[in-house]
Amino acid sequence: MSDRREVWREGIGVVVATSAYGISFGALAVASGLDVWQTCVLSLVMFTGGSQFAFIGVFSAGGLAALPSAVASAALLGVRNMAYGMRMSPIIGSGFWRRVAAAQITIDESTAVAISQSSPPLRRLGFWITGIGVFVGWNITTLVGALIGDVLGDPKTWGLDAAAAAAFLALLWPRLKQRQAIAVGVAAAVVAAALTPFIMPGLPVLVAAIVAIAVGWFNWFAAPRLEKTQGVA
């Protein structure tokens, strides 16, 4: 029971942080030219924060003429969810409707909370708690942000743009106990930060993922193993 309570605590913490970020999206989407209903439908249907921000970022810069680029940017950033789906498939289990529901809430947060647990039942619990919670909370706060966007002003002044990043850092930090894990995280972060000003939204995340896979696969920074030696009689 203590392990299940810990999963609930962790999942709800991520839900609260990520949902708060939805206010920022709602306000920015309306400011970019979408109306309240368009903003809410975008959160209901697309429901992947990074892709949504990429979409409105490109759309606000170019208007309707930039719509194809906005869709392409959102799609590129959403490619990562395919990898999440492959990782979560054995955890979710079988059943058509279960998989349909899981597909909609397979996002960064639900995957991160799930894979951080120690057993399959706890991973499954973490996935559903976080995924459903973020879906409900994100859509509610999207509506709130869209309605009060003019009153709220720039969401960054309230620190809402950092809420999701802080939640991810809290999930990542306990896993950084070995040199290899630290190397993977640092390499991916440096590459993504370096490329962001120069290439279209979505691509830095994909390139950083490739770098992380390469560093993790070759195990370049793992601590050397001590070979066991046997004494000779």
Side-chain angles (χ1 to χ4, degrees):
M1 289 299 295
S2 60
D3 290 339
R4 291 177 64 88
R5 283 197 298 267
E6 180 63 22
V7 175
W8 274 94
R9 186 190 66 81
E10 187 174 311
I12 294 301
V14 172
V15 168
V16 171
T18 307
S19 297
Y21 199 26
I23 297 177
S24 177
F25 170 74
L28 292 174
V30 171
S32 72
L34 300 180
D35 61 31
V36 173
W37 292 111
Q38 289 170 329
T39 300
C40 291
V41 169
L42 197 61
S43 280
L44 282 168
V45 177
M46 186 179 290
F47 186 56
T48 170
S51 295
Q52 292 178 230
F53 278 103
F55 179 88
I56 63 170
V58 177
F59 179 75
S60 63
L64 288 176
L67 188 58
S69 297
V71 173
S73 298
L76 281 172
L77 198 53
V79 168
R80 72 194 190 282
N81 288 37
M82 294 176 61
Y84 296 160
M86 291 186 289
R87 178 65 179 86
M88 297 307 301
S89 180
I91 296 175
I92 298 304
S94 60
F96 176 77
W97 292 112
R98 177 185 299 178
R99 286 180 173 271
V100 169
Q104 179 67 359
I105 61 172
T106 299
I107 54 174
D108 302 302
E109 292 82 3
S110 60
T111 303
V113 172
I115 64 176
S116 67
Q117 308 308 319
S118 59
S119 66
L122 294 179
R123 294 188 189 106
R124 194 174 301 113
L125 177 63
F127 173 83
W128 289 111
I129 290 172
T130 309
I132 294 173
V134 171
F135 182 80
V136 174
W138 179 267
N139 281 281
I140 290 174
T141 54
T142 292
L143 174 60
V144 173
L147 292 174
I148 67 170
D150 293 336
V151 178
L152 184 65
D154 185 359
K156 293 182 180 179
T157 62
W158 299 87
L160 295 176
D161 57 321
F168 268 108
L169 182 60
L171 288 172
L172 178 63
W173 190 260
R175 303 175 72 86
L176 301 180
K177 296 179 180 179
Q178 298 179 348
R179 287 187 300 177
Q180 179 67 13
I182 296 173
V184 170
V186 170
V190 169
V191 169
L195 293 179
T196 295
F198 304 106
I199 60 178
M200 66 186 301
L203 286 179
V205 175
L206 298 180
V207 176
I210 294 172
V211 171
I213 291 171
V215 175
W217 181 269
F218 291 105
N219 209 30
W220 289 323
F221 298 94
R225 295 181 180 179
L226 297 176
E227 295 183 359
K228 295 182 179 180
T229 58
Q230 295 180 345
V232 178

